Amino acid sequence: MSTLTTNYLTPTGREEAWRFTPLNRLQGLHDLSITIADHPSLHCDEMPIGVTISSQPSLETPPSSSTDDVAALKARSASSTVTVLAIAPDAVINTPIFLKRESLGQISEASRVVIRAGNHSKATVVVENAGSAILSEDVEIILEPGASLTFITLQEWENDAIHLGRHHAIIGKDATFTSIVVTIGGSLVRLLPTVEYAGPGSSAEMLGLYFAGAGQHLEHRIHVDHNVGHAKSRVNYKGALSGESARTVWIGDVFIRAAAEATDTYELNRNLLLSDGARADSVPNLEIETGDIVGAGHASTTGRFDDEQLFYLQSRGIPEAEAKRLVIRGFFLEILSKIGIEAIEERIMGRIDNELSSVVIG
Amino acid sequence: MSTLDIKNLQVAVETEEGSKQILRGVDLTINSGETHAIMGPNGSGKSTLAYSIAGHPKYTITGGSVTLDGVDVLAMSVDERAKAGLFLAMQYPVEVPGVSVSNFLRTSVTAIRGEAPKVRTWVGEVKEAMAALSMDPAFAERNVNEGFSGGEKKRHEILQMELLKPKIAILDETDSGLDVDALRVVSEGVNRIKESNDLGIMLITHYTRILRYIQPDFVHVFSAGRIVEAGGPELANKLEENGYAEYVTA
């Protein structure tokens, strides 16, 4: 803790990175003067051949990336152990690897996770978060050259959960990273899906789906660091909000460094406001230090239901509430269908339907 | 036998400059099996008539009445109007991302018929209706109107009409954006549905071209928000020759 406190300060809420976050609800996860517990909270039912999971002393597995996120730094420093998931080189794992966290309880906990995808391996890792929790995590995902990894995190927390997380991928040469973030549960969730590149020919697709109900604060801060040339990124996050004080924050920072020639990037965020009293912030940032790129763009829209879509469906006999449900299901399907695991897609759609049933008339 | 009765219909739309009157007293009666062509210059209020009857929220009814078999249409919600037997084939059908045509059709037919169609017969029913409109079966898996060509959108509208079996259909510029082949396929579809269902049709068009394929029983000239002349099919021939000039007065 000593090095932390000398170099970093507890956020006050005035910092750019924290200005949207209600710090008083964080149960001290961001507060450098408060100690939090170390909890190796991820577990798995079975591991396929070619995949190993182990708990290792943090000191023997130092972080592979740097960060200035105080909560992630605090989680690192509080974690004496790190959960390491390793996918063997050349292993092609056709069934998803499920990691779970359930009902961590009411004490503040830190978790460090490292996922290492070996050369030319191919796998899908799913982290399922459910129950109550006060959790701060630092996840590092390392894709070795040619690896292909889909990393899915499902935040299906109970309504009292507090969850801060940094999910940082380092994408090797010719490697392909897909991240799918689904955030539906939790009182306050603040995630940092971030990527950097370790070689050319690499690509990242970062997808997200969130639905904030009354009182929920769901924040996603994407950062794509195009630090090498000939790399690609696509970001597409879609969110819906309904209910009093439903709040979402989406930050999309894409940084194209001078060395990153032939970068190809596009980011998109769309929000649907389903009721009064909800607020969505959407801030795309594109910073370009080289003109020698393939493409760079961003788009952000926040709006209510499209009256013309609803009229079209209703004019075919479909009642208003069902028309709205169809439109919202359609809105999310683009992201949801990328999960590719039917049971999960149906479960998430079911949760969205549940959220809708309470709000859709209005 | 059904009757759509429009009496002295007056409709306004809210604009930035305030309320603007579009329809200024429309009188029209359409019975089952009759085809009424509504013809008129752009901006005369033809589409407003169509959308007002269907219940688009943009339009405010300021006077008059619309009844279907004596029941007040204007008091119904949009979906209730469809359930009562009204259908609007739109000039610009709306894209609904993420909703497949098959899901949309099934949801719509379930709502209109009041029960889900039997799985065994439903697939065949849709296939047959699509084949009759020369539509590729793969069409059913695409998202509603998303990336459809003009011709595909109009065929999709007529496909819905075939499956929903309305009593009275309003076709709003169904001919616009269609090449001759597509116009023929779509017109044949309309004629077929009319034959089998004794459909009453309000056919809104700017051009006489579609009337070569769909024979009107009555032709009404629409100008400045009302019907200014009515006649038989011969009136269309006169419009073909002389245009709308004599009806558009300053």
Side-chain angles (χ1 to χ4, degrees), chain A residues 69-145:
Chain A
D69 184 74
V70 171
L73 290 167
K74 179 170 162 155
R76 280 180 182 179
S77 117
S79 298
S80 58
T81 60
V82 50
T83 302
V84 178
L85 179 85
I87 299 153
D90 296 313
V92 175
I93 315 296
N94 290 318
T95 52
I97 302 158
F98 289 99
L99 303 173
K100 291 181 183 173
R101 288 195 188 98
E102 283 154 320
S103 299
L104 305 190
Q106 298 302 323
I107 53 160
S108 303
E109 293 173 301
S111 168
R112 249 199 88 200
V113 179
V114 170
I115 297 170
R116 188 175 291 276
N119 289 323
H120 296 97
S121 64
K122 189 173 187 328
T124 297
V125 174
V126 184
V127 178
E128 296 179 281
N129 291 311
S132 295
I134 305 165
L135 173 71
S136 183
E137 60 172 350
D138 180 59
V139 180
E140 291 181 304
I141 304 148
I142 297 135
L143 283 79
E144 288 175 352

Side-chain angles (χ1 to χ4, degrees), chain B residues 35-39 154 158 171-176 178-180 182-188 190-191 201-216 236 240:
Chain B
T35 299
H36 293 251
I38 308 286
M39 306 193 62
K154 297 302 170 73
I158 303 307
L171 310 182
D172 186 19
E173 309 233 0
T174 292
D175 50 339
S176 69
L178 292 187
D179 62 30
V180 173
L183 180 61
R184 188 178 44 75
V185 169
V186 164
S187 300
E188 282 170 5
V190 172
N191 291 333
I201 297 172
M202 183 195 295
L203 178 68
I204 293 173
T205 182
H206 184 83
Y207 304 104
T208 53
R209 186 176 68 143
I210 193 172
L211 303 184
R212 283 178 226 145
Y213 300 91
I214 301 174
Q215 282 291 325
E240 170 114 51

